[in-house]
Amino acid sequence: MSLPNSPAGPFQEIRSQCGALQILGAAIDRGAAASAYLFEGPSGVGKQKTAMAMAKHLVARASSAIAQRIDDGSHPDIRVFNPRAEGARNIPVEYLRKEILPIARFAPFEAQCSFLIFPEADLSFPVQHPAAANALLKTLEEPRDKVHFILITDRPERLLDTIRSRCQRVSFGRLTTEDLEEILVKAGVASEDVGPAIALSDGRADQALHLATAGEARELIGRALRAHDVVQRGHPGEAVLLAEEMSRMEDLSLLLRALVQLYRDVARHKLHIDESTWSLRDFRSEVVERARDLEPSEAGERVRQIYSARDLLDENANTQMVLESLLTGLKR
């Protein structure tokens, strides 16, 4: 028996998801795939890739010709339904009833089983538009044999409780630094951009690849270092101007993440923790310089304050006021 992520298994392209792959691999080996799955976890960690790998393995049954049709998107027993491209992006109940549920009613068409896959299911079936979700629920409650649904989300709380309860939930975690490095190198990312992109990626391949473009991660870390310098100088006028500038940033959350990584590395340096654990190893000299005036407890307190500010921003508090309070408060 091949392990699910071994060279001979269906999931050899999936990284850092041993727990999820063990669950799915065991179901495949037993011939007992669930009628409905909910793949949940951060974006960019392989959830949709895993769904397609599982579907392809069970539908193609080692046939290269069928596998090619699946890769071309032309096999009738694997259907992917993305959120709408316009408006609130939720799937209207009329479309669900006319275009999607009939497939589930009559499938499989050619293979021994059929898969209906819904990336970003929280957008397709959000709690604030429950009509389509309730229509889907009826099908999930009375599943047809050999017809499998896979709902994919990084925000499961935005799905109806009843939808979640009808699915077998499979959790996906963040990617390891080693796997992210392999992905970036394979994508041809310049060596000087790999470390900074991983540091700010939050364990997500999509974020790492985005940040590696045109040195964006290095630029964000540089801005975080400059923000620290403004804080240390303690001039209220400078802090207000910086808060105004930061409030206009589309990637403000990433800048705050860079500040968190800076202060965590400052604490690691002061505590003599191995530099291999640092997030900003490519900025060692800059981190060491900023660590001169901070004790580990002060760096830790700054991390706590940044997280508190992020929570306020998530609650739609006034961005500039939150940032002004943060930048002036960090110095205390």
Side-chain angles (χ1 to χ4, degrees):
M1 181 185 303
S2 298
L3 293 173
N5 58 342
S6 71
F11 302 124
Q12 61 263 34
E13 297 297 323
I14 311 302
R15 300 286 181 265
S16 302
Q17 306 300 341
C18 290
L21 300 188
Q22 286 177 353
I23 292 170
L24 300 174
I28 289 173
D29 288 342
R30 296 195 312 269
S35 60
Y37 287 101
L38 178 60
F39 286 6
E40 56 188 32
S43 66
V45 299
K47 298 190 299 296
Q48 185 170 347
K49 201 172 186 179
T50 301
M52 288 300 299
M54 182 177 188
K56 183 176 179 179
H57 177 75
L58 292 175
V59 169
R61 297 289 177 179
S63 167
S64 58
I66 295 176
Q68 185 60 56
R69 289 177 61 199
I70 294 170
D71 290 341
D72 294 339
S74 60
H75 197 288
D77 285 313
I78 297 181
R79 307 290 185 96
V80 178
F81 299 97
N82 288 294
R84 286 191 301 168
E86 68 278 356
R89 304 191 68 194
N90 58 293
I91 293 178
V93 65
E94 297 83 3
Y95 180 83
L96 180 78
R97 287 173 174 159
K98 291 179 181 179
E99 303 294 336
I100 299 177
L101 295 185
I103 295 172
R105 192 174 304 125
F106 296 108
F109 298 99
E110 296 181 10
Q112 297 180 22
C113 60
S114 185
F115 283 81
L116 287 77
I117 299 171
F118 296 87
E120 298 183 276
D122 54 283
L123 292 178
S124 295
F125 307 108
V127 292
Q128 63 267 35
H129 296 285
N134 284 323
L136 176 65
L137 179 62
K138 293 180 181 179
T139 300
L140 297 181
E141 289 175 334
E142 301 174 359
R144 278 176 49 81
D145 190 34
K146 305 300 183 184
V147 176
H148 307 279
F149 288 79
I150 302 180
L151 280 63
I152 302 169
T153 180
D154 56 350
R155 298 174 293 188
E157 72 281 357
R158 298 193 178 189
L159 291 167
L160 293 175
D161 290 342
T162 46
I163 291 285
R164 291 182 298 197
S165 68
R166 293 299 185 273
C167 299
Q168 179 176 343
R169 300 176 72 167
V170 181
S171 296
F172 288 71
R174 286 166 172 77
L175 303 181
T176 66
T177 296
E178 293 75 19
D179 284 334
L180 284 169
E181 184 173 358
E182 181 181 340
I183 290 168
L184 294 181
V185 170
K186 188 175 180 180
V189 171
S191 58
E192 64 268 22
D193 291 323
V194 170
I198 292 174
L200 303 188
S201 69
D202 196 28
R204 296 166 42 196
D206 58 346
Q207 188 77 278
L209 288 165
H210 169 73
L211 286 165
T213 303
E216 184 172 349
R218 285 185 283 114
E219 171 61 23
L220 281 164
I221 293 168
R223 295 182 79 162
L225 292 166
R226 292 192 292 274
H228 165 83
D229 295 342
V230 168
V231 168
Q232 290 304 101
R233 285 194 290 270
H235 298 155
E238 272 194 288
V240 170
L241 289 174
L242 178 58
E244 182 179 354
E245 176 188 334
M246 290 172 62
S247 69
R248 296 193 296 266
M249 293 178 59
E250 292 184 3
D251 50 5
L252 173 60
S253 63
L254 292 173
L255 177 56
L256 294 177
R257 186 178 298 159
L259 272 170
V260 166
Q261 302 291 38
L262 168 62
Y263 290 127
R264 282 178 171 168
D265 282 352
V266 163
R268 291 179 180 120
H269 172 65
K270 299 292 285 209
L271 293 170
H272 308 290
I273 294 174
D274 193 325
E275 291 183 15
S276 65
T277 67
W278 290 20
S279 297
L280 307 184
R281 291 189 297 276
D282 293 345
F283 291 80
R284 181 192 181 281
S285 60
E286 290 88 344
V287 171
V288 171
E289 180 181 349
R290 269 73 178 183
R292 290 175 182 167
D293 301 326
L294 286 177
E295 294 301 318
S297 58
E298 293 174 305
E301 173 59 20
R302 292 190 179 192
V303 170
R304 188 198 64 76
Q305 289 178 274
I306 294 167
Y307 277 132
S308 296
R310 285 172 51 177
D311 289 342
L312 290 172
L313 294 174
D314 287 342
E315 295 169 3
N316 295 317
N318 181 282
T319 302
Q320 186 165 343
M321 290 181 64
V322 170
L323 293 174
E324 286 180 16
S325 176
L326 173 66
L327 293 174
T328 55
L330 289 178
K331 179 64 174 174
R332 296 172 189 167

